[in-house]
Amino acid sequence: MTIHIKNIEQIRAAAREFVNKIDDRRIFAFYGNMGAGKTTFIKAVCEELGISDVITSPTFAIVNEYEMPSSPLHLPSSVYHFDFYRIRRLEEVYDMGYEDYFYSGALCFIEWPELIEDLLPADAVKVTIQVLPDGSRNIEF
């Protein structure tokens, strides 16, 4: 499936469409170049899920946890947002206990999954954000 975002004003509608397609999938691996909008899109998705926390990239913390006030679409109440950009060795991911997150049944949104690809569950959904020449984005999953 492809969602096209012409401009930032359309991001919430695109996030809503994405949320409506989550179904029973839990692990989403977001691929895209630096500046493609991975964090911005994940923030919009979290807002569509009803999360009122301040949503920022967990670049230094590696993982942020958000709680949904109510569970829309029968989703779990926790969302884990990962940013593995600063990971240098897979041992760092083992040390943080990634299995506890990935296999918890919670939603997991992962930025820079290419750095931990060997650890991604087989059912992880690949989400690619591509910046087009006109500045618009295609989100494919």
Side-chain angles (χ1 to χ4, degrees):
M1 166 162 218
T2 300
I3 300 172
H4 184 72
I5 304 173
K6 290 183 181 179
N7 54 51
I8 195 70
E9 288 78 25
Q10 294 181 336
I11 197 163
R12 287 296 293 266
R16 189 173 313 112
E17 186 175 348
F18 183 85
V19 165
N20 288 333
K21 301 293 184 196
I22 286 177
D23 296 325
D24 61 349
R25 296 171 283 192
R26 296 292 176 256
I27 311 292
F28 296 87
F30 286 81
Y31 294 82
N33 294 333
M34 180 77 73
K38 295 179 296 291
T39 301
T40 303
F41 187 69
I42 290 170
K43 179 179 191 267
V45 168
C46 288
E47 289 169 350
E48 283 301 312
L49 289 169
I51 296 169
S52 60
D53 295 339
V54 174
I55 301 160
T56 60
S57 176
T59 301
F60 294 101
I62 300 176
V63 62
N64 288 341
E65 180 179 3
Y66 309 117
E67 293 294 322
M68 288 188 273
S70 61
S71 193
L73 307 173
H74 306 291
L75 294 172
S77 61
S78 292
V79 174
Y80 297 112
H81 178 193
F82 298 87
D83 185 335
F84 289 117
Y85 181 74
R86 296 193 180 281
I87 292 296
R88 298 295 168 236
R89 298 180 335 272
L90 279 181
E91 289 78 20
E92 295 175 63
V93 183
Y94 286 112
D95 290 345
M96 71 175 282
Y98 80 94
E99 301 102 330
D100 293 337
Y101 298 103
F102 287 6
Y103 299 101
S104 67
L107 286 172
C108 294
F109 299 135
I110 304 166
E111 295 186 51
W112 300 103
E114 51 270 66
L115 300 176
I116 61 147
E117 251 183 21
D118 292 342
L119 303 179
L120 288 174
D123 62 349
V125 177
K126 182 177 183 177
V127 181
T128 304
I129 301 179
Q130 178 184 22
V131 180
L132 302 177
D134 65 358
S136 64
R137 285 6 183 214
N138 273 347
I139 299 174
E140 296 180 13
F141 57 101

